[in-house]
Amino acid sequence: MIYQILLEELPYLLQGVLIIIELLVLLLLLGLIVGIALSAMEVYGNFFLRQSARAFIRIFRGVPATVLLFLVYYGMSGLYDIPSFAAAVLALGLRSAAYQSQIFRGAIESIPSGQMKAAHAIGMNKIQGVLFIILPQAVRLSIGPWSNEFSSELKATSLAYLVGVVELLRRGKYIVSYTYGNALVVFVFCGVIYFILTRLGNNLLYKFEIRISVPGFERRNVRESTIKG
Amino acid sequence: MISFFEFTLASLPALMKGTLITLEIWVVCITGGAVLGIFLALGRIYGNKITYGITTTYIEIFRGTPQLVQMFVIYIGLPDIGIVLRPILAAMIAIGLNTAAYQAEYFRGAIQSVQKGQMIAARAIGMSKPQAIVHIILPQALRMVIPSWSNEAILELKMTSIAFSISVVELMAQAKTIGFRTFRYFEIFILAAIIYYILVSVFSSLLDLLSAKVHIPGLTLKNR
Amino acid sequence: MGTVLKIENLHKSFGDLKVLNGVSLELKRGETKVIIGPSGTGKSTLLGCVNRLIEPDQGIIWVSDEEITSKTIDLNKVRTEIGFVFQDFNLFTHLTALENVKIGPQKVRKLHKQEAHDLALEELKRVGLSDKANAYPAELSGGQKQRVSIARALAMNPKVMLFDEPTSALDPELIGEVLEVMISLAKEDMTMLIVTHEMGFARVVSDEIIFMEHGNIVEEGPPSQLFNNAQHSRTKEFLHKLTELYGEKKEDAQ
């Protein structure tokens, strides 16, 4: 009975998957842009910039995603009635920025100082050095840890449920509420979909990693920063 | 319209009650998770094909799906097959099982990081495999795992905040209640944020102290 | 009986590579025998088979008349009778020197804590390291580490001591202190089987030298025979090459 319902409702659930993917892409993008900015501030900024970046990072890593979501969604309601999806993108995106900045900073700092010295030695200024020598290396070094971050954020999108986004889990819950006694099957089904998504995502990233790899930049074991959702 | 300060004072008792529950869940989960995690890791490294299969499957499932989904399965789903749990118990089990899977991988990394020669030398003086694991391998691995373990522990502290979604009256739940009653959302969630931030900072420092205390010269995690 | 170690027709292959090709030897109580030969000829494998850290394909090994290659034997118990000193020391990194020596007697031989403690101190004294009892391996020099590892093996009161290239991983100036300990052990009538490249030392310490190549024993006999009157041309060649490379050591003049 329930399996029939699940089959019928598959399109409905898959729409939820679409929302998850949308949310994931947007939050990662936001995290990427802000994260790069933060890491640049930390590595190349003056005292004020460095401390500001560090404060941001400490706060967004020290406070649970749940609180951040609520702060943005409910807390902002005084100023602006933000829709739940946007709130999720903002909250999770900024949090991801904090984590991503650490990945980029780690990558940049692991590049030997000799690289910049050599860049200067052939006449490049600081900006050229960063753009043509440091950044390309930093990008390649970041891929491994960034895949972990991707995986974590994919699972974190489920938290959007908590502020009312009608993604996969919430849709599952709706189905549960009108099919009494089948919660286990439905939620396990949701879990399976997430599992498949995670696997697919990791696979794609891995293929991409191989595509752009250069000898000498094999995945080094940076300390894991597995964040969960 | 009372001031933020007065609002804080008024909310504090409820928030503290919630914090206590948060900490209760946290402590149970990380310790239970650690015990289970060590067994899972040992099963993966020293176990036979069956043990390896079971532990690996467990770890893949719990690391491959969101914590929130796991919690729903355990609290809302299990009653279908007759297992009905109190919210706080369901939350502890869900978070505990989840953290065990992550911790298992950290333990495994640390154990495999202990040099091969240590086990060989232990066997050479006549220790059995279990003896060698207990007296030689684990003491080293447990020291080396502290940084990753601490990281995981702090993550779990923050993770407890989703328990409110299955009716556990921890910090988030208390904050939400006050927020909905007073409409002072921004302030109450800022307060909650501050409390979490303080908890995270304090425990991070404590764990760093622990790491320094049990440090042995020459015993560091080698990046493989 | 006087025979402490007896190896009969030992065979071992790693994949296609035949490393031990029917090796037999005997060690009587108080004897010290040294195995020499080109690298990769199975010398370390031979030692590893004796305490079955490496499993032989074929052959029988007896320790004090007990057949240790049988399937039914208590391997852990057997290993307490055999002392093994590794090329890479393999000291327990999380334990002090004293604790390294103490843990075997305490946890395996089940000695009382204080007894084990006193025994460990004595063994450390025997190798000249009582002042380093509370140091961690990372704080010790290579020669000190190896001496602690010898003490650790001795603390188990073994019937025979096996040394697998004990000084090969050491800086030249640290080799002497380890060899000294081994020579004094030999003088105390410890039964020892040593794999080494240290020719001068081999001449001084051994009752018999065994020359191995390609998994076979080519020649065995007292040092005077191998060095002055070798029966096989390969033996002469090998020793000549080594003397060229390493030069005559001062110990040879003893």
Side-chain angles (χ1 to χ4, degrees):
Chain A
M1 247 292 326
I2 180 69
Y3 300 101
Q4 219 182 335
I5 296 180
L6 278 175
L7 212 61
E8 282 169 20
E9 297 285 18
L10 204 54
Y12 177 62
L13 287 172
L14 288 180
Q15 271 173 357
V17 172
L18 236 63
I19 295 187
I20 291 174
I21 296 179
E22 249 179 283
L23 177 55
L24 182 63
V25 169
L26 288 173
L27 83 87
L28 283 176
L29 212 57
L30 178 59
L32 186 70
I33 298 172
V34 177
I36 291 180
L38 284 170
S39 63
M41 282 164 71
E42 266 189 299
V43 178
Y44 299 114
N46 60 32
F47 178 79
F48 176 69
L49 286 174
R50 271 204 315 274
Q51 296 303 344
S52 312
R54 291 215 192 119
F56 178 97
I57 293 167
R58 239 178 291 150
I59 291 174
F60 277 84
R61 279 171 36 141
V63 173
T66 322
V67 179
L68 293 171
L69 280 164
F70 275 45
L71 263 174
V72 173
Y73 184 56
Y74 293 108
M76 270 235 251
S77 58
L79 286 142
Y80 167 65
D81 202 6
I82 188 171
S84 56
F85 184 83
V89 172
L90 199 53
L92 294 176
L94 289 177
R95 191 186 75 131
S96 177
Y99 284 103
Q100 290 192 45
S101 76
Q102 295 309 94
I103 295 175
F104 301 138
R105 182 171 74 103
I108 295 175
E109 286 179 353
S110 74
I111 296 174
S113 60
Q115 298 288 302
M116 195 50 141
K117 286 194 194 138
H120 284 317
I122 58 174
M124 286 190 183
N125 61 32
K126 194 166 187 187
I127 297 183
Q128 288 174 317
V130 171
L131 216 56
F132 299 127
I133 308 298
I134 304 295
L135 232 59
Q137 296 189 44
V139 166
R140 285 186 174 80
L141 287 170
S142 304
I143 305 248
W146 203 88
S147 299
N148 289 336
E149 169 65 10
F150 172 89
S151 205
S152 300
E153 294 303 338
L154 173 49
K155 285 177 276 179
T157 55
S158 62
L159 295 177
Y161 168 96
L162 299 170
V163 285
V165 174
V166 189
E167 41 65 73
L168 178 61
L169 192 57
R170 191 163 280 275
R171 290 176 191 232
K173 191 131 195 282
Y174 287 159
I175 295 179
V176 169
S177 63
Y178 76 78
T179 65
Y180 184 72
N182 285 292
L184 190 56
V185 176
V186 176
F187 286 134
V188 168
F189 188 67
C190 292
V192 169
I193 296 182
Y194 264 111
F195 189 78
I196 295 175
L197 272 177
T198 313
R199 268 291 166 81
L200 275 173
N202 283 339
N203 250 328
L204 278 169
L205 270 177
Y206 187 63
K207 292 213 171 81
F208 178 67
E209 202 178 333
I210 295 188
R211 255 294 189 75
I212 71 165
S213 73
V214 166
F217 282 96
E218 296 81 33
R219 247 201 216 211
R220 307 199 192 138
N221 267 343
V222 186
R223 204 183 317 137
E224 296 118 337
S225 63
T226 49
I227 325 127
K228 300 121 59 143
Chain B
M1 234 336 216
I2 58 178
S3 74
F4 178 62
F5 180 64
E6 291 167 312
F7 177 68
T8 308
L9 281 179
S11 316
L12 228 43
L15 291 179
M16 284 299 113
K17 259 173 73 181
T19 308
L20 236 59
I21 303 287
T22 293
L23 290 174
E24 197 184 320
I25 300 177
W26 183 55
V27 169
V28 170
C29 289
I30 55 171
T31 46
V35 172
L36 179 56
I38 294 181
F39 279 108
L40 286 169
L42 292 175
R44 263 197 104 179
I45 300 175
Y46 299 113
N48 57 33
K49 267 216 190 99
I50 301 178
T51 321
Y52 179 81
I54 296 177
T55 50
T56 306
T57 311
Y58 176 100
I59 294 174
E60 295 273 292
I61 293 178
F62 276 92
R63 278 172 45 129
T65 51
Q67 171 80 89
L68 197 53
V69 175
Q70 293 163 13
M71 205 176 284
F72 278 25
V73 167
I74 292 179
Y75 180 65
I76 308 178
L78 284 186
D80 285 356
I81 57 174
I83 305 177
V84 181
L85 300 161
R86 276 171 25 215
I88 192 170
L89 199 55
M92 286 179 180
I93 293 178
I95 300 179
L97 290 178
N98 177 287
T99 182
Y102 284 89
Q103 292 195 37
E105 287 301 274
Y106 293 135
F107 286 129
R108 183 172 73 100
I111 291 176
Q112 291 181 323
S113 199
V114 176
Q115 296 168 319
K116 267 230 212 99
Q118 300 288 296
M119 178 56 109
I120 295 177
R123 302 307 308 274
I125 57 171
M127 282 191 179
S128 65
K129 210 167 188 184
Q131 272 186 321
I133 293 176
V134 169
H135 293 297
I136 306 298
I137 307 291
L138 279 182
Q140 296 186 47
L142 289 178
R143 278 180 177 84
M144 294 195 281
V145 88
I146 291 183
S148 356
W149 191 87
S150 308
N151 199 38
E152 175 64 18
I154 299 296
L155 286 170
E156 290 314 313
L157 176 53
K158 292 186 282 173
M159 185 62 74
T160 59
S161 62
I162 69 174
F164 80 89
S165 64
I166 60 170
S167 317
V168 179
V169 190
E170 39 71 69
L171 177 52
M172 237 11 245
Q174 295 281 12
K176 205 169 172 227
T177 310
I178 295 176
F180 276 49
R181 199 180 59 226
T182 64
F183 298 108
R184 298 171 77 133
Y185 299 115
F186 188 71
E187 292 162 273
I188 193 65
F189 292 130
I190 288 284
L191 281 178
I194 293 176
I195 295 179
Y196 275 112
Y197 186 79
I198 293 176
L199 287 175
V200 164
S201 305
V202 166
F203 285 113
S204 292
S205 307
L206 282 176
L207 285 167
D208 280 341
L209 244 96
L210 173 69
S211 178
K213 194 139 196 279
V214 299
H215 176 67
I216 289 182
L219 199 61
T220 49
L221 190 66
K222 289 190 177 58
N223 282 336
R224 301 173 81 229
Chain C
M1 260 244 281
T3 305
V4 172
L5 176 65
K6 183 164 164 165
I7 302 172
E8 197 174 276
N9 200 24
L10 210 58
H11 288 263
K12 178 67 188 175
S13 301
F14 290 109
D16 285 334
L17 189 62
K18 191 88 198 267
V19 173
L20 289 176
N21 207 4
V23 174
S24 303
L25 67 88
E26 217 177 289
L27 207 57
K28 292 201 171 53
R29 175 116 42 100
E31 276 192 318
T32 297
K33 295 201 182 180
V34 172
I35 306 179
I36 63 174
S39 292
T41 54
K43 313 195 298 289
S44 295
T45 311
L46 178 59
L47 283 190
C49 285
V50 175
N51 68 356
R52 285 179 63 185
L53 281 174
I54 299 176
E55 285 293 350
D57 295 332
Q58 206 188 323
I60 315 181
I61 302 176
W62 290 266
V63 172
S64 284
D65 297 329
E66 212 179 346
E67 189 191 322
I68 65 166
T69 39
S70 96
K71 300 279 178 221
T72 58
I73 203 142
D74 183 350
L75 202 47
N76 293 325
K77 188 153 183 301
V78 165
R79 288 180 179 148
T80 63
E81 307 292 323
I82 303 173
F84 201 103
V85 176
F86 300 88
Q87 183 177 343
D88 291 327
F89 339 122
N90 287 337
L91 285 185
F92 301 132
T93 336
H94 61 303
L95 302 175
T96 62
L98 181 66
E99 288 165 346
N100 257 278
V101 179
K102 176 175 156 185
I103 195 169
Q106 191 177 343
K107 299 289 179 189
V108 182
R109 289 220 186 270
K110 308 279 191 218
L111 252 50
H112 186 256
K113 213 158 112 174
Q114 190 57 47
E115 271 185 88
H117 180 94
D118 296 335
L119 171 62
L121 271 177
E122 241 189 76
E123 296 300 344
L124 277 178
K125 199 156 144 209
R126 201 169 164 188
V127 301
L129 284 173
S130 352
D131 57 329
K132 292 285 181 189
N134 294 322
Y136 284 97
E139 298 167 325
L140 299 170
S141 75
Q144 292 169 331
K145 282 198 259 231
Q146 194 60 298
R147 285 190 278 153
V148 173
S149 99
I150 294 177
R152 178 176 64 178
L154 288 174
M156 298 300 286
N157 198 20
K159 297 214 169 71
V160 58
M161 285 282 281
L162 306 176
F163 293 83
D164 185 4
E165 298 204 36
T167 56
S168 294
L170 296 177
D171 290 333
E173 66 271 17
L174 300 172
I175 294 180
E177 66 195 64
V178 175
L179 295 182
E180 263 173 48
V181 168
M182 291 168 72
I183 291 177
S184 71
L185 279 179
K187 290 209 179 100
E188 291 170 24
D189 276 340
M190 172 62 73
T191 314
M192 313 201 301
L193 186 58
I194 307 172
V195 171
T196 186
H197 292 302
E198 297 290 329
M199 289 303 135
F201 166 73
R203 260 170 120 156
V204 164
V205 81
S206 61
D207 297 309
E208 194 174 286
I209 295 188
I210 301 171
F211 173 58
M212 265 183 81
E213 197 181 30
H214 302 315
N216 294 309
I217 294 183
V218 173
E219 186 169 344
E220 53 194 317
S224 53
Q225 174 194 323
L226 281 249
F227 280 93
N228 302 328
N229 197 16
Q231 305 291 305
H232 291 257
S233 57
R234 268 305 294 147
T235 318
K236 278 194 221 158
E237 265 177 59
F238 178 74
L239 287 173
H240 183 66
K241 194 182 291 174
L242 265 188
T243 325
E244 255 181 31
L245 274 176
Y246 292 101
E248 294 279 308
K249 285 234 180 72
K250 283 210 192 86
E251 292 104 88
D252 292 349
Q254 280 182 5

